[in-house]
Amino acid sequence: MKARIKKIEWEADGINSYFLTSLDGQDMPAFEPGAHVDVELKPGLTRSYSLVNDPKQRGYYEIAVHHAIDSRGGSRHIHEVWRVGEVVEISAPRNNFPMNEDAAHTVLIAGGIGVTPMLPMIARLEELGKSWELHYVAATPERAAYVDRLSAYPSARIVYDGIEGGARLDLAALSEGAPADAHLYCCGPGGMLDAFVALNKGRPADKVHIEYFSAETEIATDGGYSLELTRSGKTIQVAEGETMLDALLSAGVDIGFACSEGVCGTCQVKVLDGVPDHRDHFLTDAEKAANSSVMVCCSGSNSAKLVLDI
Ligand code: FES
């Protein structure tokens, strides 16, 4: 869908928020806390951004974009090119990070720009009168977004780990101290999420929720296997140096992708036969073991052939 950039606001050093509205003044499609939209920046460059606003505010979508120094082009493009009044192309909201509204207690843990999906979650939890706590770590006050909104809540704790005398987010203590029936959510840098997952291995998997916004993914480019595509009837070879996605796009297969590093879930394809070499951070361990789907942007194959439902 097309959306207009209605307003741009400075949130913190390197972080702007962008308010997107419909072209005809109608409400935006409804979304649930944790949802994101894919934004098409230019052909071949799509990025996913969490929706920040209260889902009850239907007149706009708010996203926040951190201009990462090592940006592969997405955040830089938005900061440098997007201007108020322009029309951009976005997807309908999709939710890979849904919140369980029945939890007795909810623990939200965010690092940096990972705070964005937590804001609509907090709005909803407050609306439901639920028990929750947020632990948000940023390097410095200047680099912490949405502090003004969060400071209205006594249950929101913000720590700065990059200043003299600053605090540290003790993930181990938070994980150990959370009630057994709590649902825990974490969004932040890859290292933080890996530690969070390891610390909560003992909890039921359905109570531990993570969302990567970027990751150091070791992308499979070994090649040397073939892809049999059942719907299109094509068989293609993945050569050394290529990703599965590269091979599919070169063969003219129309396939959606966004992050290209195995975190957003856009490129998920059903596997009918064969054993993928899963490299993504999107599928759960159980889903990876089932081998019934694969993230083609980053994963490879452990079998000579993969049969895909495309
Ligand atoms: S494009 Fe995001 S997981 Fe593959």
Side-chain angles (χ1 to χ4, degrees):
M1 59 184 279
K2 291 195 185 307
R4 190 176 303 284
I5 304 167
K6 175 92 171 170
K7 187 168 65 165
I8 302 174
E9 283 185 352
W10 180 92
E11 291 296 341
D13 280 0
I15 302 175
N16 288 346
S17 59
Y18 298 82
F19 294 75
L20 309 175
T21 58
S22 64
L23 302 192
D24 57 7
Q26 298 291 309
D27 279 351
M28 302 299 266
F31 73 93
E32 291 176 352
H36 69 270
V37 290
D38 292 333
V39 178
E40 189 180 280
L41 301 171
K42 51 188 173 185
L45 185 62
T46 304
R47 292 288 178 264
S48 305
Y49 295 98
S50 295
L51 293 170
V52 177
N53 52 300
D54 182 337
K56 288 206 308 300
Q57 295 162 333
R58 295 285 307 280
Y60 61 91
Y61 290 157
E62 178 184 359
I63 60 172
V65 181
H66 176 217
H67 187 174
I69 306 275
D70 55 354
S71 167
R72 291 169 301 134
S75 63
R76 187 188 319 144
H77 178 94
I78 292 181
H79 274 251
E80 291 178 358
V81 175
W82 278 22
R83 294 291 177 262
V84 169
E86 281 177 11
V87 173
V88 295
E89 193 81 37
I90 63 173
S91 72
R94 293 194 301 129
N95 201 350
N96 299 331
F97 196 40
M99 185 178 73
N100 184 314
E101 297 190 345
D102 299 323
H105 183 66
T106 299
V107 180
L108 307 170
I109 300 172
I113 196 70
V115 74
T116 48
M118 307 306 184
L119 281 115
M121 289 183 174
I122 291 170
R124 181 68 180 148
L125 290 164
E126 283 287 300
E127 187 185 355
L128 295 170
K130 291 286 190 175
S131 164
W132 63 272
E133 59 191 280
L134 168 77
H135 303 270
Y136 170 29
V137 60
T140 64
E142 294 76 22
R143 289 166 62 183
Y146 299 114
V147 171
D148 49 346
R149 291 187 209 179
L150 293 171
S151 53
Y153 302 110
S155 313
R157 175 176 155 251
I158 306 171
V159 299
Y160 302 109
D161 64 359
I163 57 172
E164 212 179 304
R168 191 174 73 84
L169 194 68
D170 191 341
L171 270 183
L174 285 175
S175 303
E176 277 163 30
D181 57 356
H183 277 249
L184 282 68
Y185 299 80
C186 187
C187 183
M192 179 185 194
L193 290 172
D194 293 344
F196 172 79
V197 169
L199 287 164
N200 288 286
K201 272 274 184 249
R203 283 181 189 271
D206 65 346
K207 290 191 166 63
V208 180
H209 313 266
I210 56 168
E211 182 161 77
Y212 284 84
F213 56 79
S214 73
E216 283 169 23
T217 308
E218 228 178 283
I219 293 173
T221 54
D222 295 346
Y225 58 94
S226 65
L227 302 172
E228 187 181 315
L229 313 181
T230 53
R231 289 200 216 178
S232 57
K234 292 182 179 174
T235 297
I236 57 178
Q237 199 65 30
V238 183
E240 189 180 341
E242 267 189 326
T243 63
M244 207 183 302
L245 178 62
D246 292 336
L248 290 165
L249 293 174
S250 306
V253 180
D254 187 16
I255 187 151
F257 63 97
C259 70
S260 298
E261 55 183 13
V263 298
C264 74
T266 307
C267 69
Q268 185 170 11
V269 167
K270 204 164 155 193
V271 176
L272 301 174
D273 198 16
V275 182
D277 173 9
H278 297 286
R279 301 290 182 92
D280 64 275
H281 299 269
F282 181 79
L283 297 173
T284 63
D285 287 349
E287 287 167 335
K288 285 178 182 166
N291 287 326
S292 54
S293 67
V294 64
M295 297 297 150
V296 301
C297 66
C298 60
S299 299
S301 181
N302 287 326
S303 53
K305 182 168 82 172
L306 284 180
V307 182
L308 303 179
D309 186 24
I310 45 177

